[in-house]
């Protein structure tokens, strides 16, 4: 069973930065793409960023391009989301997820393991 544990969320002022981390259990982390999703109250869960198994390919939601950066360390079984210039509308619960394959998907149904989420709150 794969476990994903997010950390790094919290309260930040608008314009600030946070770095989320997601630590994965198991020895197969490097074989799968990973994604970061977020869900704000009353809204559907949406993809924020995704990264292929090697880190060689990434994808971002239009709303965060140039603002967020996804990366991974396969030796550390960890995927990161660097979030800069945070806006009030970035506030949400952020989830990491493991894809079914080495390539990433841009919708949640391409992911079969999920973390418990970490809250990001942005104050104005």
């Amino acid at each position: 069973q794969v476990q994903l544990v997010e950390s790094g969320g919290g309260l930040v002022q608008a314009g600030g930065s946070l770095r989320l981390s997601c630590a994965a259990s198991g020895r197969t982390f490097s074989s799968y793409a990973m994604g970061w999703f977020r869900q704000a109250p009353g809204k559907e869960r949406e993809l924020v960023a995704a990264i292929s198994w090697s880190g060689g390919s990434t994808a971002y939601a239009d709303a965060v391009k140039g603002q967020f950066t996804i990366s991974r360390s396969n030796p550390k079984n960890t995927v990161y989301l660097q979030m800069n210039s945070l806006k009030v509308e970035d506030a949400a619960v952020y989830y990491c997820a493991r894809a079914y394959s080495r390539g990433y998907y841009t919708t949640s149904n391409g992911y079969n393991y999920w973390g418990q989420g970490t809250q990001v709150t942005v104050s104005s």
Side-chain angles (χ1 to χ4, degrees):
Q1 184 74 2
V2 173
Q3 289 189 320
L4 303 174
V5 180
E6 301 99 335
S7 61
L11 172 64
V12 63
Q13 285 191 329
S17 297
L18 283 175
R19 188 195 196 201
L20 305 184
S21 299
C22 172
S25 65
R27 294 180 290 179
T28 60
F29 176 79
S30 61
S31 297
Y32 296 91
M34 299 293 294
W36 282 99
F37 290 77
R38 67 186 180 187
Q39 187 167 20
K43 295 188 176 181
E44 292 190 356
R45 190 172 298 189
E46 62 177 358
L47 176 76
V48 175
I51 189 167
S52 64
W53 67 281
S54 66
S57 182
T58 58
Y60 295 91
D62 287 343
V64 305
K65 282 181 181 176
Q67 181 188 358
F68 291 4
T69 302
I70 189 171
S71 61
R72 67 188 295 160
S73 170
N74 286 342
K76 294 184 178 180
N77 277 19
T78 302
V79 61
Y80 305 96
L81 185 69
Q82 178 67 43
M83 305 187 295
N84 297 328
S85 303
L86 282 161
K87 308 169 187 174
V88 171
E89 53 264 40
D90 293 319
V93 178
Y94 283 71
Y95 300 89
C96 73
R98 197 191 82 171
Y100 282 102
S101 68
R102 292 189 168 196
Y104 56 75
Y105 298 84
T106 57
T107 59
S108 59
N109 57 14
Y111 298 79
N112 56 345
Y113 289 100
W114 293 82
Q116 81 288 353
T118 186
Q119 178 72 51
V120 171
T121 303
V122 184
S123 64
S124 58

